[in-house]
Amino acid sequence: MEPINDEIAREFRFFRVYKDGRIEIFYKTQKVPPSTDEITGVQSKDITIQPEPAVSARIFLPKIHEPAQKLPVLLYLHGGGFIFESAFSPIYHNFVGRLAAEAHAVVVSVEYGLFPDRPVPACYEDSWAALKWLASHASGDGTESWLNKYADFDRLFIGGDSGGANLSHYLAVRVGSLGQPDLKIGGVVLVHPFFGGLEEDDQMFLYMCTENGGLEDRRLRPPPEDFKRLACGKMLIFFAAGDHLRGAGQLYYEDLKKSEWGGSVDVVEHGEGHVFHLFNSDCENAADLVKKFGSFINQK
């Protein structure tokens, strides 16, 4: 048995690479089972979207007051730098459940493939597979009963935080690029979005995604033609003043405003750090974020 070589070849914000090829992730992800919230009445369950490559999701259903009522539906994409975190982790289970209650919406929280087991762009392709699976329920004859019975596909939204916000942008562009007639996206919500900006984050992304366009990769620096293709008429962007991604997020916002997209964009900023609402969920600003997210989904 050969001795382990602990010599480090590369080190990034979320992981290090050893010269023998091993990769050490700095953050461990816990997972909790689906449940019913005793206070809000929100139910959740886990489903398989596709077996190979494996894509699954946790679906949240708010308390139903009128059985015949159709509800807005949100496809949610968690953050974690495409490396860690999960739709099944405690922080995302709690946040998405809270969001489902506030928005009174069916929420599909996607469990996509992560680096290094599934290098980027697996997360993009898995998210696309999840959106297509969700759209297959638009006629009421899909594989998931909650979506068939309660989802209103005229009120379909996409949202995510950090890396998940990046995935949300990508999906809206891809829908617009392909002209999907069965997909009508009502709006997109980006929470503390990741679009590169800092050299260490850029280099980490390029390492995880070996087939890339360098620092001008459209997933890091969306070009004008991508903004034009966004398949939604409105967007809500949350910023955090103390977020290390704030500068790149501002560039995204400015490029969006200058583009030929033609939609409307609202911005909300809190004097907090990156994804503060996940780790300090009881604070006033976290409640404000959830409330404004829910209001955006229910705007007429």
Side-chain angles (χ1 to χ4, degrees), residues 184-221:
K184 178 183 176 183
I185 301 175
V188 172
V189 182
L190 309 182
V191 182
H192 311 160
F194 166 76
F195 288 103
L198 296 181
E199 182 179 1
E200 63 175 309
D201 291 332
D202 292 342
Q203 293 304 319
M204 182 174 66
F205 179 87
L206 297 177
Y207 184 88
M208 294 188 295
C209 182
T210 54
E211 295 181 7
N212 61 68
L215 293 177
E216 295 306 312
D217 188 286
R218 65 193 325 124
R219 290 160 293 193
L220 289 176
R221 308 282 187 276

Side-chain angles (χ1 to χ4, degrees), residues 8-86:
I8 296 171
R10 300 286 300 273
E11 184 155 339
F12 300 99
R13 183 187 299 275
F14 296 142
F15 64 94
R16 67 169 59 102
V17 184
Y18 293 97
K19 286 198 172 180
D20 62 5
R22 288 179 298 122
I23 295 175
E24 179 187 1
I25 308 297
F26 299 150
Y27 299 89
K28 303 299 181 184
T29 300
Q30 296 180 320
K31 296 184 179 181
V32 295
S35 60
T36 298
D37 189 293
E38 294 182 358
I39 297 175
T40 65
V42 172
Q43 303 176 65
S44 61
K45 64 179 175 180
D46 295 342
I47 56 91
T48 297
I49 290 173
Q50 64 181 35
E52 189 61 38
V55 183
S56 57
R58 179 160 293 176
I59 302 184
F60 294 80
L61 181 70
K63 188 173 184 179
I64 301 300
H65 301 288
E66 299 177 21
Q69 182 184 13
K70 292 288 189 176
L71 307 176
V73 57
L74 168 67
L75 185 79
Y76 194 84
L77 300 155
H78 70 80
F82 316 119
I83 304 163
F84 61 98
E85 271 306 332
S86 167

Side-chain angles (χ1 to χ4, degrees), residues 16 22 47 57 105-106 162 228 235 272 291:
R16 67 169 59 102
R22 288 179 298 122
I47 56 91
V106 183
S162 194
K228 186 177 179 179
M235 184 179 291
E272 304 277 359
K291 184 176 182 179

Side-chain angles (χ1 to χ4, degrees), residues 6-299:
D6 284 332
E7 193 172 354
I8 296 171
R10 300 286 300 273
E11 184 155 339
F12 300 99
R13 183 187 299 275
F14 296 142
F15 64 94
R16 67 169 59 102
V17 184
Y18 293 97
K19 286 198 172 180
D20 62 5
R22 288 179 298 122
I23 295 175
E24 179 187 1
I25 308 297
F26 299 150
Y27 299 89
K28 303 299 181 184
T29 300
Q30 296 180 320
K31 296 184 179 181
V32 295
S35 60
T36 298
D37 189 293
E38 294 182 358
I39 297 175
T40 65
V42 172
Q43 303 176 65
S44 61
K45 64 179 175 180
D46 295 342
I47 56 91
T48 297
I49 290 173
Q50 64 181 35
E52 189 61 38
V55 183
S56 57
R58 179 160 293 176
I59 302 184
F60 294 80
L61 181 70
K63 188 173 184 179
I64 301 300
H65 301 288
E66 299 177 21
Q69 182 184 13
K70 292 288 189 176
L71 307 176
V73 57
L74 168 67
L75 185 79
Y76 194 84
L77 300 155
H78 70 80
F82 316 119
I83 304 163
F84 61 98
E85 271 306 332
S86 167
F88 310 142
S89 74
I91 58 173
Y92 280 103
H93 176 86
N94 293 337
F95 171 69
V96 177
R98 189 177 180 188
L99 185 57
E102 178 65 37
H104 203 61
V106 183
V107 186
V108 178
S109 184
V110 182
E111 182 79 344
Y112 53 82
L114 301 175
F115 178 88
D117 294 337
R118 305 218 22 244
V120 179
C123 50
Y124 293 91
E125 295 308 317
D126 290 357
S127 299
W128 178 245
L131 181 58
K132 289 195 298 180
W133 174 85
L134 180 58
S136 73
H137 294 77
S139 298
D141 57 356
T143 58
E144 173 43 51
S145 60
W146 283 358
L147 293 172
N148 291 333
K149 187 172 183 179
Y150 298 111
D152 179 357
F153 283 88
D154 287 329
R155 292 185 288 165
L156 170 62
F157 294 81
I158 301 173
D161 61 273
S162 194
N166 183 291
L167 296 173
S168 300
H169 162 87
Y170 165 83
L171 291 181
V173 171
R174 188 162 177 177
V175 171
S177 299
L178 297 178
Q180 298 283 102
D182 57 339
L183 276 173
K184 178 183 176 183
I185 301 175
V188 172
V189 182
L190 309 182
V191 182
H192 311 160
F194 166 76
F195 288 103
L198 296 181
E199 182 179 1
E200 63 175 309
D201 291 332
D202 292 342
Q203 293 304 319
M204 182 174 66
F205 179 87
L206 297 177
Y207 184 88
M208 294 188 295
C209 182
T210 54
E211 295 181 7
N212 61 68
L215 293 177
E216 295 306 312
D217 188 286
R218 65 193 325 124
R219 290 160 293 193
L220 289 176
R221 308 282 187 276
E225 58 267 27
D226 280 5
F227 289 115
K228 186 177 179 179
R229 295 179 182 127
L230 282 167
C232 60
K234 64 179 183 177
M235 184 179 291
L236 173 62
I237 305 177
F238 288 97
F239 288 130
D243 188 356
H244 65 286
L245 302 179
R246 178 67 177 85
Q250 181 66 28
L251 290 176
Y252 175 92
Y253 169 71
E254 292 172 358
D255 288 344
L256 176 65
K257 291 286 286 183
K258 291 185 295 187
S259 74
E260 298 179 32
W261 169 46
S264 62
V265 56
D266 292 324
V267 170
V268 176
E269 181 159 10
H270 297 106
E272 304 277 359
H274 188 62
V275 295
F276 71 92
H277 59 288
L278 299 177
F279 302 102
N280 190 13
S281 59
D282 293 331
C283 74
E284 183 178 343
N285 282 334
D288 183 71
L289 186 151
V290 171
K291 184 176 182 179
K292 286 185 167 66
F293 199 138
S295 295
F296 178 81
I297 289 174
N298 287 290
Q299 285 174 355

